[in-house]
Amino acid sequence: MKGPLDGVLVVDLSRALAGPHATMMLGDLGARVVKVEAPGRGDDTRGWGPPFVDGESTYFLSANRNKESVCLDLRDDADRAVLLALVRRADVLVENFRTGVMERLGLGPDVLGALNPRLVQLSITGFGHDGPEGGRPGYDQIAQGEGGLMSVTGPAPDDPQKFGTPICDLLAGMYGAYGVLAALRERESTGRGQVVRTSLLAAAVGVHGFQGTRWTIAGEVGRAAGNHHSSISPYGLFRCADGAVQIAVGSEGLWRRFCAGFGLDPDEPGMATNPQRAAARADVVELVEKVFADWTADALLDRLNELGVPAGKVRSLDEVYAWEQTLSQGLLIEVTHETLGTLRLPGPPLRFFDLSGQERTRTGHRPPPVLDQHGRSIRHWVE
């Protein structure tokens, strides 16, 4: 299997993470992705570390599988001609420059659209292309703060915390790829491309979920509440004899099952319904941790599984990548890198099956490229 996007050509002018994550997703689906990098230094993330392995940034390796690399100086006439030749052949172009940069390079949407009316153009910015702060530069942690995510993350309202991954960058890339797929689908009926725009701010607001409507409808400002859900109880991380486990008692049926399994009264005053338990969250946490105090984590997880109560442990990343369930889902792949040899990389998060249940497994994932690895072949191809 080559992938659902086999035959789609993506020109990737982006750097850092949001744009590269979008193009990696398209590459995972089988598109041919040509990554255009600045001569000499390449993508910014080639210099982001530690850790480096034999001079290669593991940060860069995380966002650039299934791509080819060509170095082009967009201000050089000969290199610019190579880029324009790629644009004429492309189905998609992705960039995440600040607002106005593409126009100053003479590569605005109108110019690119005139070269290739079928081109789908994805542009990702920090705070949007227009509006009173549309030109602001944006990096992930800035957007996490400005977009409200840090205010609902952390142990307490006065101790905001960022996510452990660059979540706004990753989500903007995901939303961008989603928009590109929709535009490609529409092109099938119209024959024309279009411009798709998103931002780190849009990505942050796009995942507010219940915290958003908590404010817009109920007028209540959500605040950081640590490892316990603000609307469901008990739901969170609970200490036990030798560590902690997580449980999610997300329905009244589960609450009754949980109580029956641990000798609790489900109709105890003040705890009979989820709204009551959520309002008395501290009391619920104290009650549950008292019950769990004599249980080891492993024994507790076995018991919760017997009861059908959703539960789990908190795994470190090395444990996640050694976990048989992770491996069974194709979430670790092997590629052969130009200089590093065999690499194990986090794998694509999608799997495809035919209607008989047979998995349509993609073969031949490309490793992240070294700088300008495919420059000669790409230049020859567009001559």
Side-chain angles (χ1 to χ4, degrees), residues 23 81 83 105 170 177 183 231 245 251 295 301-302 309 325 376 383:
T23 54
L83 174 63
L105 290 170
L170 297 171
S231 299
V245 300
S251 70
W295 289 79
L301 288 169
D302 287 342
V309 174
Q325 187 61 25
R376 180 177 297 180
E383 285 179 354

Side-chain angles (χ1 to χ4, degrees), residues 287-321:
L287 174 66
V288 172
E289 291 191 337
K290 183 178 180 180
V291 171
F292 286 178
D294 294 329
W295 289 79
T296 66
D298 288 341
L300 186 53
L301 288 169
D302 287 342
R303 178 59 173 154
L304 290 163
N305 185 55
E306 290 172 3
L307 296 170
V309 174
K313 62 177 68 174
V314 177
R315 297 176 187 266
S316 60
L317 291 184
D318 57 326
E319 291 175 323
V320 172
Y321 288 113

